Amino acid sequence: MSNTLIAKIAAVSVLLTAPSAFAADGDAANGEKLFKRCAACHKIGPDAKNGVGPALTGVVGRAAGSYEGYKYSKSVVAANEKGLIWTEEELDKYLTHPTKYLRTYLDDKKARSKMSFRLKKEEERADMIAYLKSVTE
């Protein structure tokens, strides 16, 4: 087999195994049900207060590490300083594996997230993000 053919096969393999782009059409009602998994650490809604994790009201579109009164990890503070905004796409990547996401975003193999929870299924992430996007106040 030629090196060119091997390179083409490798490229196709990467494309087929890479996570797909964010699915923007999540189900917010299902996301609200899924949020119960998060409720031990995060609160959401007009009267939400910080808990183990920051309040998530209005998180979509907000700068990372910027919710007032919450003590973020050094890595999230560094991501904020680098300009990270929690867009739907960034949240999708973060929810897949928070620590790996921060290590990649910051190009720092020691970066860590306080959050160990992950949503491995693309549909669940889309639903969760649709719900988070729906709660702005």
Side-chain angles (χ1 to χ4, degrees), residues 26-120:
D27 178 347
N30 191 51
E32 184 174 11
K33 291 175 192 169
L34 289 170
F35 189 80
K36 290 176 184 173
R37 299 179 194 174
C38 310
C41 297
H42 295 282
K43 306 304 177 220
I44 194 164
D47 300 321
K49 296 189 180 353
N50 293 322
V52 172
L56 295 178
T57 309
V59 70
V60 179
R62 184 167 75 208
S66 66
Y67 196 86
E68 194 171 322
Y70 184 75
K71 184 173 168 65
Y72 289 93
S73 70
K74 291 178 184 178
S75 297
V76 172
V77 170
N80 172 288
E81 291 168 354
K82 191 173 175 181
L84 177 61
I85 302 296
W86 289 127
T87 63
E88 293 172 50
E89 268 189 340
E90 297 302 321
L91 282 167
D92 181 56
K93 290 185 262 184
Y94 181 78
L95 291 171
T96 301
H97 195 298
T99 292
K100 281 184 181 179
Y101 172 81
L102 287 172
R103 287 178 179 173
T104 300
Y105 184 82
L106 296 170
D107 192 25
D108 177 358
K109 65 182 179 181
K110 293 183 180 181
R112 296 190 48 85
S113 173
K114 289 182 181 181
M115 189 169 104
S116 60
F117 178 79
R118 302 179 207 164
L119 279 173
K120 294 179 182 179

Side-chain angles (χ1 to χ4, degrees), residues 15-33:
L15 289 173
L16 292 175
T17 59
S20 59
F22 175 68
D25 296 329
D27 178 347
N30 191 51
E32 184 174 11
K33 291 175 192 169

